[in-house]
Amino acid sequence: MRTQVAIIGAGPAGLLLSHLLARGGVSSVVLETRSEEYVGARIRAGILEHSSVELLTSVGLGSRLRSLGEQHRGIYLQWPGSRHHVDFMSLTGRSVWVYGQTEVQKDLVAARSADGQEIHYSVSGVVIGDDFVKFTDSSGSVRQLDCDVIAGCDGSFGPSRHAIPSPQVYEKVYPYSWLGILADVAPSTDELIYAWHPNGFALHSMRSATVSRLYLQVPAGTDPSSWSDDRIWDELAARLGHGQNGWKLTPGPITDKSVLPMRSHVQTPMRHRNLFLAGDAAHIVPPTGAKGLNLAIADVALLSRALIARIVSGDTTLADSYSDDALRRVWRCTHFSWWMTTMMHASGDPFDAQLQLSQLRWVATSEAGATGLAENYAGLPIGF
Ligand code: RFL
Ligand code: PHB
């Protein structure tokens, strides 16, 4: 087998990269360890920032997004007794869209199959060489895919990042996790609520007019089955302020319950010879700033331009600067996600709590503070 770009991983980074490369006349083959059904059903991110929506729309992936997704002007920031709307549109002219990663994945799979993209699901034994990838296909045959370039889009547990020799790894592990639920109930809010509470952080998000997504801060290592449905709704009601100023949280049947550990992780450089990393393969952020999927999209926007220039025109300038270019945005988003996380989560230290409340009051009530949050949350331009 031969292709120009071997893409490891059929998550959003890998599939969007194959889509952008095809539009630039570059061929690719995608290899994925999981089955197509498994990849399509994973419950993950929910928020697309302004530049992600612009990019997806510009490459023909915006029609379901714009009909099924919901545009939000901003978010609510709250702490006991106060709820403030931070209006990104009026502060920055940019909005965000609620559109689940599951839907993005569906749009990508549909577009790639309409284009005849070669995707091998359920592969195993992936070995990365300098100009080839070996793997065992779903029928058990060992195959070799020769290529000019390898794109490591295989997330944080894939092999690509281990193929970069002597990387610099930066990591921070947080002492808490999120207990996340999906519930078949209309959201009790028009836009997302990020709530600071002495018991711990809570977030009210959503997937559609009939499906809500909510999260509670819990200690790291919590077993989701130790939280009954009633206990989850009671705690969400307390932290989100049910009954305050007439606001009510409506509970409903919980269809999914899981615990997500929280960490920040950046590995540099994002390139070694013909191997380029993109998305979670190179960096992980805690979900508080809703940045993971958006960073993966921004990486492949840069990477596709760099690979098209290198392969089609023989110009290596963008490929040579890819790692540095991508890392500028990665560190901006890593800082923003850390800042949102440490501002919103209870640490158990009363001094921290007072600083958090002071910071929240400033962000919510000062135009300068609110604009900083809005600019980062709604997203900086792709080339930032
Ligand atoms: P993915 O999606 O993990 O895809 C990597 C793919 O590589 C495959 N793979 C391999 N393939 C071949 N060979 C191997 N040896 C392989 N090993 C692994 C995997 O099976 C997988 O299919 O990484 P990608 O494409 O970089 O995309 C990153 C995003 O998925 C991730 O950053 C976001 O989901 C993070 N995230 C959020 N991001 C946002 O922008 N906004 C949000 O609101 C948001 N909320 C979230 C999130 C992540 C969450 N979880 C569960 C981690 C909420 C949650 C709950
Ligand atoms: C989600 O809807 O899953 C979501 C939204 C905002 C976040 C994190 C997750 O900050």
Side-chain angles (χ1 to χ4, degrees):
M1 298 166 73
R2 179 160 180 93
T3 190
Q4 288 171 311
V5 182
I7 300 177
I8 309 178
L15 290 185
L16 181 59
L17 180 63
S18 77
H19 189 77
L20 298 175
L21 289 175
R23 292 174 66 89
V26 171
S27 65
S28 66
V29 170
V30 182
L31 306 176
E32 167 61 53
T33 38
R34 302 288 194 163
S35 67
E36 184 173 352
E37 299 66 47
Y38 180 92
V39 174
R42 281 190 298 222
I43 299 163
R44 289 208 169 164
I47 302 292
L48 288 175
E49 61 186 39
H50 181 87
S51 36
S52 301
V53 173
E54 275 190 333
L55 175 80
L56 294 171
T57 305
S58 73
V59 295
L61 295 165
S63 65
R64 276 181 81 247
L65 192 170
R66 282 169 189 278
S67 64
L68 299 180
E70 219 184 278
Q71 186 172 21
H72 283 194
R73 292 186 63 93
I75 57 168
Y76 296 100
L77 269 187
Q78 80 166 49
W79 55 94
S82 302
R83 180 176 294 174
H84 295 263
H85 189 241
V86 181
D87 191 321
F88 305 158
M89 274 298 255
S90 58
L91 293 162
T92 67
R94 296 155 79 84
S95 61
V96 295
W97 284 71
V98 171
Y99 191 61
Q101 186 167 328
T102 335
E103 301 305 321
V104 176
Q105 187 81 22
K106 273 187 209 154
D107 294 343
L108 283 164
V109 167
R112 299 318 302 130
S113 57
D115 234 11
Q117 174 70 45
E118 193 174 336
I119 306 178
H120 295 264
Y121 287 98
S122 305
V123 307
S124 56
V126 169
V127 174
I128 299 169
D130 193 39
D131 54 4
F132 67 86
V133 178
K134 278 196 183 142
F135 65 99
T136 304
D137 70 16
S138 57
S139 68
S141 308
V142 176
R143 322 249 322 239
Q144 176 161 326
L145 173 61
D146 293 322
C147 54
D148 301 322
V149 164
I150 296 140
C153 301
D154 44 356
S156 54
F157 299 109
S160 299
R161 66 191 186 86
H162 302 293
I164 302 251
S166 316
Q168 177 92 41
V169 174
Y170 303 86
E171 183 155 88
K172 181 166 184 65
V173 177
Y174 302 88
Y176 30 75
S177 295
W178 279 11
L179 173 66
I181 60 157
L182 264 187
D184 278 339
V185 60
S188 300
T189 176
D190 57 341
E191 298 195 337
L192 273 62
I193 305 171
Y194 285 78
W196 183 98
H197 191 277
N199 293 1
F201 171 68
L203 171 62
H204 191 328
S205 182
M206 59 201 71
R207 287 291 175 273
S208 69
T210 53
V211 177
S212 297
R213 177 83 168 138
L214 299 109
Y215 297 97
L216 285 170
Q217 175 188 345
V218 292
T222 294
D223 174 359
S225 65
S226 65
W227 280 75
S228 68
D229 293 7
D230 285 347
R231 181 175 173 213
I232 290 174
W233 284 115
D234 287 349
E235 194 58 26
L236 283 167
R239 297 190 195 179
L240 289 167
H242 175 86
Q244 280 173 30
N245 300 318
W247 183 79
K248 291 198 168 19
L249 176 69
T250 309
I254 294 178
T255 57
D256 188 85
K257 204 187 283 184
S258 57
V259 168
L260 325 168
M262 312 256 285
R263 68 189 168 113
S264 300
H265 176 105
V266 181
Q267 172 174 320
T268 68
M270 288 171 64
R271 178 212 179 165
H272 175 66
R273 297 167 63 97
N274 293 327
L275 172 64
F276 295 77
L277 303 183
D280 280 13
H283 40 74
I284 299 289
V285 287
T288 326
K291 285 294 162 214
L293 170 60
N294 294 295
L295 259 186
I297 291 174
D299 282 355
V300 298
L302 289 180
L303 182 56
S304 59
R305 280 175 220 163
L307 296 183
I308 291 165
R310 174 175 147 170
I311 292 168
V312 176
S313 328
D315 179 351
T316 62
T317 318
L318 290 176
D320 291 342
S321 64
Y322 167 70
S323 179
D324 291 343
D325 292 346
L327 282 165
R328 273 195 295 281
R329 188 191 187 86
V330 167
W331 278 114
R332 176 86 303 279
C333 293
T334 300
H335 175 267
F336 177 66
S337 307
W338 164 86
W339 176 72
M340 283 288 281
T341 300
T342 50
M343 177 169 69
M344 300 301 312
H345 289 73
S347 73
D349 178 339
F351 181 78
D352 286 354
Q354 291 307 320
L355 292 184
Q356 289 173 324
L357 286 167
S358 166
Q359 177 81 347
L360 276 166
R361 267 183 231 113
W362 176 69
V363 168
T365 58
S366 137
E367 189 169 330
T371 306
L373 188 149
E375 205 169 67
N376 282 280
Y377 195 112
L380 295 149
I382 292 278
F384 173 82

